Short mmCIF file of all heavy atoms in Angstrom, two decimals:
data_model
loop_
_atom_site.label_atom_id
_atom_site.label_comp_id
_atom_site.label_asym_id
_atom_site.label_seq_id
_atom_site.Cartn_x
_atom_site.Cartn_y
_atom_site.Cartn_z
N ARG A 1064 -11.69 6.75 -29.20
CA ARG A 1064 -10.57 7.16 -28.42
C ARG A 1064 -9.87 5.93 -27.87
O ARG A 1064 -10.27 5.35 -26.91
CB ARG A 1064 -11.11 7.97 -27.22
CG ARG A 1064 -10.27 9.09 -26.85
CD ARG A 1064 -11.09 9.99 -25.95
NE ARG A 1064 -10.30 11.09 -25.52
CZ ARG A 1064 -10.10 11.48 -24.25
NH1 ARG A 1064 -10.58 10.72 -23.31
NH2 ARG A 1064 -9.38 12.53 -23.98
N LEU A 1066 -7.57 4.10 -25.94
CA LEU A 1066 -6.75 4.42 -24.72
C LEU A 1066 -5.63 3.41 -24.61
O LEU A 1066 -5.91 2.20 -24.52
CB LEU A 1066 -7.60 4.48 -23.49
CG LEU A 1066 -8.68 5.48 -23.50
CD1 LEU A 1066 -9.60 5.33 -22.31
CD2 LEU A 1066 -8.09 6.87 -23.40
N VAL A 1092 -0.12 -4.69 -26.75
CA VAL A 1092 0.15 -4.77 -25.35
C VAL A 1092 -1.04 -5.36 -24.68
O VAL A 1092 -2.18 -4.94 -24.95
CB VAL A 1092 0.36 -3.37 -24.82
CG1 VAL A 1092 0.59 -3.40 -23.28
CG2 VAL A 1092 1.54 -2.69 -25.49
N ARG A 1094 -3.24 -6.07 -21.22
CA ARG A 1094 -3.35 -5.51 -19.89
C ARG A 1094 -3.38 -6.66 -18.84
O ARG A 1094 -3.80 -7.76 -19.13
CB ARG A 1094 -4.65 -4.72 -19.82
CG ARG A 1094 -4.62 -3.44 -20.64
CD ARG A 1094 -5.99 -2.84 -20.72
NE ARG A 1094 -6.45 -2.32 -19.45
CZ ARG A 1094 -5.99 -1.19 -18.92
NH1 ARG A 1094 -5.09 -0.48 -19.49
NH2 ARG A 1094 -6.45 -0.75 -17.76
N LEU A 1106 -16.21 0.65 -12.25
CA LEU A 1106 -17.65 1.15 -12.21
C LEU A 1106 -18.50 0.05 -12.77
O LEU A 1106 -18.21 -0.53 -13.77
CB LEU A 1106 -17.81 2.35 -13.13
CG LEU A 1106 -17.72 3.73 -12.63
CD1 LEU A 1106 -18.14 4.72 -13.72
CD2 LEU A 1106 -18.60 3.93 -11.40
N ARG A 1109 -24.12 -0.58 -14.80
CA ARG A 1109 -25.41 -0.02 -14.40
C ARG A 1109 -25.26 1.40 -13.73
O ARG A 1109 -26.12 2.24 -13.82
CB ARG A 1109 -26.15 -1.02 -13.45
CG ARG A 1109 -26.63 -2.24 -14.15
CD ARG A 1109 -26.96 -3.34 -13.20
NE ARG A 1109 -25.79 -4.03 -12.64
CZ ARG A 1109 -25.78 -5.14 -12.11
NH1 ARG A 1109 -26.87 -5.90 -12.01
NH2 ARG A 1109 -24.65 -5.71 -11.64
N ASP A 1112 -24.44 3.98 -16.42
CA ASP A 1112 -25.63 4.29 -17.16
C ASP A 1112 -26.50 5.26 -16.36
O ASP A 1112 -27.13 6.14 -16.97
CB ASP A 1112 -26.42 2.99 -17.44
CG ASP A 1112 -27.38 3.18 -18.57
OD1 ASP A 1112 -27.01 3.15 -19.73
OD2 ASP A 1112 -28.59 3.31 -18.26
N GLU A 1300 -27.59 -7.35 -5.41
CA GLU A 1300 -26.61 -8.39 -5.77
C GLU A 1300 -25.83 -8.95 -4.61
O GLU A 1300 -25.00 -9.81 -4.77
CB GLU A 1300 -25.60 -7.79 -6.79
CG GLU A 1300 -26.24 -7.24 -8.06
CD GLU A 1300 -26.75 -8.34 -8.96
OE1 GLU A 1300 -26.46 -9.52 -8.71
OE2 GLU A 1300 -27.45 -8.07 -9.91
N TYR A 1303 -25.88 -12.92 -4.15
CA TYR A 1303 -25.29 -13.54 -5.26
C TYR A 1303 -23.80 -13.34 -5.29
O TYR A 1303 -22.95 -14.26 -5.49
CB TYR A 1303 -25.92 -13.03 -6.59
CG TYR A 1303 -25.39 -13.55 -7.85
CD1 TYR A 1303 -25.88 -14.74 -8.42
CD2 TYR A 1303 -24.36 -12.90 -8.55
CE1 TYR A 1303 -25.39 -15.23 -9.61
CE2 TYR A 1303 -23.87 -13.36 -9.72
CZ TYR A 1303 -24.38 -14.56 -10.28
OH TYR A 1303 -23.93 -15.01 -11.45
N ARG A 1307 -20.67 -16.21 -4.85
CA ARG A 1307 -19.68 -16.42 -5.85
C ARG A 1307 -18.29 -16.11 -5.40
O ARG A 1307 -17.35 -16.85 -5.66
CB ARG A 1307 -19.99 -15.49 -7.02
CG ARG A 1307 -20.42 -16.17 -8.33
CD ARG A 1307 -20.31 -15.23 -9.46
NE ARG A 1307 -19.01 -15.42 -10.10
CZ ARG A 1307 -18.10 -14.47 -10.23
NH1 ARG A 1307 -18.33 -13.27 -9.79
NH2 ARG A 1307 -16.99 -14.72 -10.83
N PHE A 1399 -16.72 -8.78 -10.48
CA PHE A 1399 -16.43 -9.06 -11.90
C PHE A 1399 -15.24 -10.04 -12.07
O PHE A 1399 -14.89 -10.30 -13.25
CB PHE A 1399 -16.09 -7.74 -12.64
CG PHE A 1399 -17.26 -6.76 -12.59
CD1 PHE A 1399 -17.19 -5.70 -11.75
CD2 PHE A 1399 -18.38 -6.94 -13.42
CE1 PHE A 1399 -18.28 -4.78 -11.68
CE2 PHE A 1399 -19.40 -6.07 -13.36
CZ PHE A 1399 -19.36 -4.95 -12.49
N THR A 1401 -13.39 -13.44 -12.59
CA THR A 1401 -13.84 -14.67 -13.16
C THR A 1401 -12.95 -15.83 -12.62
O THR A 1401 -11.83 -15.65 -12.09
CB THR A 1401 -13.69 -14.71 -14.66
OG1 THR A 1401 -12.26 -14.63 -15.01
CG2 THR A 1401 -14.41 -13.51 -15.32
N GLU A 1403 -11.45 -17.97 -14.51
CA GLU A 1403 -10.24 -18.03 -15.32
C GLU A 1403 -9.19 -17.10 -14.72
O GLU A 1403 -8.00 -17.45 -14.74
CB GLU A 1403 -10.56 -17.46 -16.72
CG GLU A 1403 -11.21 -18.41 -17.65
CD GLU A 1403 -11.51 -17.68 -18.92
OE1 GLU A 1403 -12.29 -16.68 -18.94
OE2 GLU A 1403 -10.97 -18.08 -19.99
N GLU A 1404 -9.57 -15.90 -14.27
CA GLU A 1404 -8.61 -15.00 -13.70
C GLU A 1404 -8.00 -15.58 -12.41
O GLU A 1404 -6.78 -15.45 -12.17
CB GLU A 1404 -9.30 -13.63 -13.40
CG GLU A 1404 -9.59 -12.84 -14.66
CD GLU A 1404 -10.35 -11.54 -14.32
OE1 GLU A 1404 -11.31 -11.58 -13.54
OE2 GLU A 1404 -9.93 -10.52 -14.87
N TYR B 450 -13.65 -7.38 -21.02
CA TYR B 450 -13.70 -8.82 -20.63
C TYR B 450 -14.53 -9.05 -19.39
O TYR B 450 -15.46 -9.83 -19.32
CB TYR B 450 -12.32 -9.34 -20.40
CG TYR B 450 -12.23 -10.66 -19.74
CD1 TYR B 450 -12.26 -11.83 -20.44
CD2 TYR B 450 -12.01 -10.73 -18.35
CE1 TYR B 450 -12.19 -13.10 -19.80
CE2 TYR B 450 -11.94 -11.99 -17.69
CZ TYR B 450 -12.00 -13.13 -18.45
OH TYR B 450 -11.95 -14.31 -17.76
N ASN B 451 -14.25 -8.22 -18.35
CA ASN B 451 -14.90 -8.41 -17.06
C ASN B 451 -16.39 -8.12 -17.11
O ASN B 451 -17.17 -8.80 -16.47
CB ASN B 451 -14.21 -7.60 -15.94
CG ASN B 451 -12.86 -8.15 -15.70
OD1 ASN B 451 -11.81 -7.65 -16.19
ND2 ASN B 451 -12.73 -9.14 -14.80
N TYR B 452 -16.77 -7.07 -17.86
CA TYR B 452 -18.20 -6.71 -17.94
C TYR B 452 -18.92 -7.76 -18.75
O TYR B 452 -20.04 -8.15 -18.46
CB TYR B 452 -18.40 -5.38 -18.60
CG TYR B 452 -17.86 -4.18 -17.77
CD1 TYR B 452 -17.54 -2.99 -18.40
CD2 TYR B 452 -17.79 -4.26 -16.41
CE1 TYR B 452 -17.06 -1.90 -17.66
CE2 TYR B 452 -17.35 -3.18 -15.64
CZ TYR B 452 -17.02 -2.02 -16.30
OH TYR B 452 -16.56 -0.92 -15.59
N TYR B 455 -19.35 -11.06 -16.82
CA TYR B 455 -20.30 -10.83 -15.81
C TYR B 455 -21.73 -10.84 -16.32
O TYR B 455 -22.65 -11.50 -15.79
CB TYR B 455 -20.06 -9.53 -15.04
CG TYR B 455 -21.11 -9.19 -14.00
CD1 TYR B 455 -21.10 -9.81 -12.78
CD2 TYR B 455 -22.13 -8.30 -14.25
CE1 TYR B 455 -22.05 -9.59 -11.80
CE2 TYR B 455 -23.12 -8.04 -13.33
CZ TYR B 455 -23.10 -8.70 -12.09
OH TYR B 455 -24.05 -8.45 -11.15
N ARG B 458 -22.90 -14.28 -17.55
CA ARG B 458 -23.06 -15.18 -16.36
C ARG B 458 -24.35 -14.80 -15.59
O ARG B 458 -25.16 -15.62 -15.22
CB ARG B 458 -21.86 -15.10 -15.49
CG ARG B 458 -21.84 -16.00 -14.26
CD ARG B 458 -20.76 -15.72 -13.27
NE ARG B 458 -19.53 -15.26 -13.89
CZ ARG B 458 -18.91 -14.13 -13.59
NH1 ARG B 458 -19.39 -13.29 -12.66
NH2 ARG B 458 -17.83 -13.76 -14.21
N ARG B 459 -24.44 -13.48 -15.29
CA ARG B 459 -25.52 -13.01 -14.49
C ARG B 459 -26.92 -13.25 -15.15
O ARG B 459 -27.86 -13.62 -14.47
CB ARG B 459 -25.34 -11.46 -14.19
CG ARG B 459 -26.28 -11.01 -13.06
CD ARG B 459 -25.89 -11.57 -11.76
NE ARG B 459 -26.86 -11.25 -10.70
CZ ARG B 459 -27.87 -12.05 -10.35
NH1 ARG B 459 -28.06 -13.18 -11.02
NH2 ARG B 459 -28.70 -11.69 -9.35
N ASP B 462 -27.81 -16.95 -14.88
CA ASP B 462 -28.15 -17.32 -13.49
C ASP B 462 -29.49 -16.74 -13.12
O ASP B 462 -30.30 -17.39 -12.41
CB ASP B 462 -27.04 -16.91 -12.55
CG ASP B 462 -25.79 -17.76 -12.71
OD1 ASP B 462 -25.89 -18.82 -13.31
OD2 ASP B 462 -24.77 -17.38 -12.12
N ARG B 492 -26.55 0.38 -24.48
CA ARG B 492 -25.85 1.62 -24.44
C ARG B 492 -24.42 1.36 -24.03
O ARG B 492 -23.48 1.98 -24.55
CB ARG B 492 -26.51 2.52 -23.42
CG ARG B 492 -27.83 3.07 -23.91
CD ARG B 492 -28.38 4.18 -23.00
NE ARG B 492 -28.87 3.71 -21.71
CZ ARG B 492 -30.07 3.20 -21.52
NH1 ARG B 492 -30.96 3.15 -22.49
NH2 ARG B 492 -30.41 2.78 -20.32
N ILE B 496 -20.67 2.49 -25.67
CA ILE B 496 -19.68 3.24 -24.93
C ILE B 496 -18.36 2.46 -24.88
O ILE B 496 -17.28 3.00 -25.06
CB ILE B 496 -20.17 3.57 -23.50
CG1 ILE B 496 -21.30 4.56 -23.61
CG2 ILE B 496 -19.03 4.08 -22.64
CD1 ILE B 496 -21.99 4.80 -22.35
N LEU B 499 -16.52 2.86 -28.06
CA LEU B 499 -15.92 4.18 -28.22
C LEU B 499 -14.64 4.33 -27.41
O LEU B 499 -13.75 4.99 -27.83
CB LEU B 499 -16.88 5.26 -27.82
CG LEU B 499 -18.14 5.44 -28.65
CD1 LEU B 499 -19.13 6.37 -27.97
CD2 LEU B 499 -17.84 5.94 -30.01
N THR B 502 -9.88 -0.39 -25.23
CA THR B 502 -8.43 -0.42 -24.99
C THR B 502 -7.93 -1.83 -25.23
O THR B 502 -8.63 -2.62 -25.85
CB THR B 502 -8.16 0.07 -23.55
OG1 THR B 502 -6.76 0.13 -23.35
CG2 THR B 502 -8.79 -0.84 -22.49
N ASP B 503 -6.68 -2.06 -24.81
CA ASP B 503 -6.11 -3.39 -25.07
C ASP B 503 -6.81 -4.50 -24.32
O ASP B 503 -7.45 -4.29 -23.32
CB ASP B 503 -4.64 -3.36 -24.65
CG ASP B 503 -3.87 -2.19 -25.22
OD1 ASP B 503 -3.72 -2.16 -26.44
OD2 ASP B 503 -3.52 -1.27 -24.40
N LYS B 504 -6.66 -5.71 -24.91
CA LYS B 504 -7.27 -6.87 -24.22
C LYS B 504 -6.47 -7.23 -23.02
O LYS B 504 -5.30 -6.86 -22.87
CB LYS B 504 -7.35 -8.02 -25.24
CG LYS B 504 -8.27 -7.75 -26.39
CD LYS B 504 -8.63 -9.04 -27.09
CE LYS B 504 -9.54 -8.84 -28.28
NZ LYS B 504 -10.85 -8.22 -27.84
N ILE B 506 -4.51 -10.04 -20.58
CA ILE B 506 -3.55 -11.07 -20.84
C ILE B 506 -4.20 -12.45 -21.07
O ILE B 506 -3.62 -13.28 -21.82
CB ILE B 506 -2.50 -11.15 -19.68
CG1 ILE B 506 -1.30 -11.97 -20.04
CG2 ILE B 506 -3.15 -11.57 -18.40
CD1 ILE B 506 -0.26 -11.21 -20.84
#
Side-chain angles (χ1 to χ4, degrees):
Chain A
R1064 215 165 181 235
L1066 297 171
V1092 178
R1094 291 171 67 77
L1106 266 189
R1109 291 164 283 200
D1112 199 78
E1300 302 287 352
Y1303 178 87
R1307 246 196 94 241
F1399 301 103
T1401 66
E1403 281 176 298
E1404 288 177 312
Chain B
Y450 167 86
N451 292 95
Y452 293 156
Y455 175 78
R458 181 192 327 125
R459 190 69 188 94
D462 288 346
R492 288 189 290 275
I496 291 170
L499 293 172
T502 184
D503 308 294
K504 293 196 180 300
I506 194 82

